[in-house]
């Protein structure tokens, strides 16, 4: 969290002498969310990077012909189980 906050490119709160103010983790998270932006292309790129990582791992463990990938969903449609909407769904058949 702290490394990401330090590297983030936005104006951070300063203390009385002008140095970046030390904040509580919840405040840092809030600021990071307020100053972050992601569009559908960014989300698609993240989803595809995750797919690549999972495929790389699974391909070393099993025959590639047994692995099928579907297009990533960028919304919460079809999620009805009250679980987190930021997730990867894997299934076995």
């Amino acid at each position: 969290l702290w490394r990401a906050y330090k590297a983030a490119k936005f104006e951070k709160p300063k203390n009385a002498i002008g140095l970046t103010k030390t904040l509580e983790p919840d405040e840092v998270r809030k600021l990071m969310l307020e100053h972050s932006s992601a569009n559908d292309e960014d989300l698609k790129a993240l989803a595809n990077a995750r797919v690549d990582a999972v495929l790389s791992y699974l391909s070393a463990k099993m025959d590639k012909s047994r692995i099928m990938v579907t297009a990533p969903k960028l919304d919460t449609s079809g999620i009805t189980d009250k679980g987190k909407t930021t997730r990867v769904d894997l299934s076995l058949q």
Side-chain angles (χ1 to χ4, degrees), residues 3 7 9 53 65 71 73 80:
R3 282 187 285 174
K9 306 286 187 216
S65 66
K73 291 195 305 186
T80 59

Side-chain angles (χ1 to χ4, degrees), residues 5-60:
Y5 179 69
K6 184 178 177 182
K9 306 286 187 216
F10 62 86
E11 190 65 31
K12 297 168 185 78
K14 305 285 185 200
N15 63 16
I17 60 173
L19 299 174
T20 300
K21 190 175 181 180
T22 301
L23 302 173
E24 294 296 319
D26 288 341
E27 289 182 76
V28 172
R29 284 185 193 92
K30 181 181 173 194
L31 283 172
M32 294 287 288
L33 287 172
E34 286 175 5
H35 292 92
S36 66
S37 64
N39 59 32
D40 284 351
E41 290 304 313
D42 295 331
L43 294 176
K44 231 181 256 186
L46 176 61
N48 287 327
R50 289 176 174 174
V51 166
D52 291 342
V54 170
L55 281 176
S56 176
Y57 177 81
L58 290 177
S59 295

Side-chain angles (χ1 to χ4, degrees), residues 77-92:
S77 64
I79 297 177
T80 59
D81 63 5
K82 307 283 192 244
K84 290 191 179 241
T85 56
T86 54
R87 65 185 187 189
V88 173
D89 289 317
L90 299 173
S91 63
L92 300 173

